[in-house]
Amino acid sequence: MITHENIEEYIIDYLSDELNDSERIAVEDFLQKNPQYHEMLEGFQSVFLDKNSFSDITYTNKAALLKSSSKINFLKKLNWKYAAGIALILASATYIIVNTPSDNDTINTITNNQEETHSDRKTIQTLDKKDQQALANNTTPTKNLNNNIPTIPSKQSIHFSNHTKETNTSIEKKKSDVHLLSKLNPIQYKLEKIEPEIVVYTQFINKPSLAEQLTFEVDNEFEVAIGNKIIDVNMNKLNELKSNIDNLKDVVVKKVEDSTFDSINLWDIISK
Amino acid sequence: MTIQEYNHSVQSYTDDLFRFALKSLGNQHDAEDVLQLAFEVLWKERENVEYEKSRSYLFTVVYRRCMDVFRQKKNKRVVEIEQLPNMQVNSHSYEFKEYLNKALERLDGQSRTLIFLKDIEGYKYDEISELTGLTLEQVKVYLHRSRKLLKNYLQPQNV
């Protein structure tokens, strides 16, 4: 029942849209019969805030609050990755040791072969023993190899020059073998950029060793992207990518926490 | 709540929450802190929060945090609003809106947050009660008292 004593409360609830239909009608009837309360109605009406007058207040850093849906926690995969990595390194080392001739044999073979005109052979001739040892140890040679010739010698290049006669067929075969070897041990190709397919394996240039790299990454979560397209990272996807590894060119890993991109060899992620 | 639903909550409700926190606290730094805290809490509790209730959940977190800030700053005080000089002010004028903002700043923190929840965010009394943990009667009393104080402050000639 609306009275002169409680009309103020009813007006506030009326303006607050908190009355049911019958109560609203009752308030309107009361105000119609008692016009002296119109001023009170207008007075309260003026102290209700207009939502639109605050619409210009926005929060500009929403992105920092968002969560990524394509996260992968490398920590969870660390144990088997390390195990696989160690096995890979041992297998690669065995392969290289078995197939690499001694320094004298290699250099003699190269220098005595008059048909060895390919640029990487020339490079090898410019290498002193120290450089070759550096390559064998997967460290940076003392000479800037890129200044000498377009292609850059590596331990694998030495290996091929020792076993193949230079013909068109053998060159093609060598490239193919280089590619396969790069899969076996991408670290060996840190200094190389022989053909596009290998670009993906050369992303660690000027980076710490692979082990250090993984150690650095292990506490972070990443998004993996190919080019500009962020892929959904899960093991099925990684295995699928592994099967199509030849098509990978620009593989990057995005640190979710600071949105910066670092280059990384996806194959290393998979193989680890 | 899925990650996608969480992100949708961020996109949909961040502005509302920030506006509510900013107007309640009157300080951008505090408002940003409270906003970030609210989403941290939602993220941690996402398994237990249904997406449909995420908005009110977030407002609850922000409201409670605002109350904490008020307590820390001893901002909860008896409302004593001094009246303006008896002057005619058009309620649609810029000047009037300035007075209204000043009047809001003079309300205690809790009353101010309830006004914003009601007027700006559009919550009903019962929703505010659920959101804040106050009884329905408390919500109603606080809001009625605040309306009267604001009206008396802004339109003393009508008292």
Side-chain angles (χ1 to χ4, degrees), chain A residues 118 120 150-154 156-157 174-175 178-179 189 191-199 202:
Chain A
H118 197 266
D120 60 354
T151 55
I152 304 166
S154 69
Q156 279 67 33
S157 298
K174 187 191 76 172
K175 285 184 177 178
V178 167
H179 184 78
Y189 283 81
L191 301 174
E192 295 198 10
K193 194 172 181 179
I194 296 174
E195 53 189 350
E197 288 82 354
I198 300 175
V199 172
T202 62

Side-chain angles (χ1 to χ4, degrees), chain B residues 91-123:
Chain B
S91 64
H92 298 293
S93 67
Y94 174 80
E95 190 180 16
F96 181 87
K97 289 176 182 175
E98 286 295 298
Y99 287 141
L100 180 56
N101 282 331
K102 284 182 182 176
L104 284 167
E105 289 171 10
R106 287 166 181 264
L107 289 178
D108 66 285
Q110 184 169 61
S111 297
R112 195 162 57 238
T113 56
L114 296 184
I115 290 279
F116 287 127
L117 286 173
K118 179 64 187 164
D119 290 3
I120 306 302
E121 307 309 328
Y123 283 110

Side-chain angles (χ1 to χ4, degrees), chain B residues 3 23 45 63 70 73-74 77 108 140 142 158:
Chain B
I3 295 174
K23 298 304 291 184
E45 295 297 320
Y63 168 80
F70 294 145
K73 295 184 176 180
K74 298 180 180 177
R77 53 185 167 77
D108 66 285
K140 199 171 173 180
Y142 285 140
N158 295 329

Side-chain angles (χ1 to χ4, degrees), chain A residues 100-210:
Chain A
T100 303
S102 67
D103 292 338
N104 287 338
D105 288 345
T106 302
I107 295 173
N108 289 339
T109 302
I110 295 168
T111 52
N112 293 333
N113 189 345
Q114 296 303 313
E115 294 180 42
E116 294 284 359
T117 56
H118 197 266
S119 58
D120 60 354
R121 307 301 183 273
K122 291 180 182 176
T123 304
I124 290 166
Q125 291 174 41
T126 67
L127 294 175
D128 58 28
K129 267 187 149 182
K130 190 176 178 182
D131 286 335
Q132 291 181 46
Q133 188 60 46
L135 282 169
N137 292 333
N138 193 29
T139 56
T140 305
T142 55
K143 293 178 181 178
N144 184 351
L145 302 177
N146 289 310
N147 291 338
N148 295 328
I149 24 265
T151 55
I152 304 166
S154 69
K155 191 168 182 60
Q156 279 67 33
S157 298
I158 296 170
H159 160 68
F160 286 120
S161 67
N162 192 43
H163 289 273
T164 57
K165 197 80 172 176
E166 283 297 22
T167 63
N168 289 339
T169 305
S170 64
I171 289 172
E172 287 305 310
K173 182 178 184 305
K174 187 191 76 172
K175 285 184 177 178
S176 173
D177 287 344
V178 167
H179 184 78
L180 290 172
L181 277 173
S182 70
K183 284 186 180 180
L184 280 175
N185 191 354
I187 300 174
Q188 295 293 324
Y189 283 81
K190 280 163 61 174
L191 301 174
E192 295 198 10
K193 194 172 181 179
I194 296 174
E195 53 189 350
E197 288 82 354
I198 300 175
V199 172
V200 69
Y201 305 125
T202 62
Q203 300 284 345
F204 280 122
I205 294 173
N206 298 325
K207 294 278 184 180
S209 71
L210 182 60

Side-chain angles (χ1 to χ4, degrees), chain A residues 13-30:
Chain A
D13 286 344
Y14 177 82
L15 294 170
S16 301
D17 196 23
E18 294 284 349
L19 299 179
N20 59 38
D21 289 345
S22 60
E23 290 172 326
R24 290 184 67 82
I25 291 169
V27 169
E28 289 167 1
D29 286 345
F30 187 88

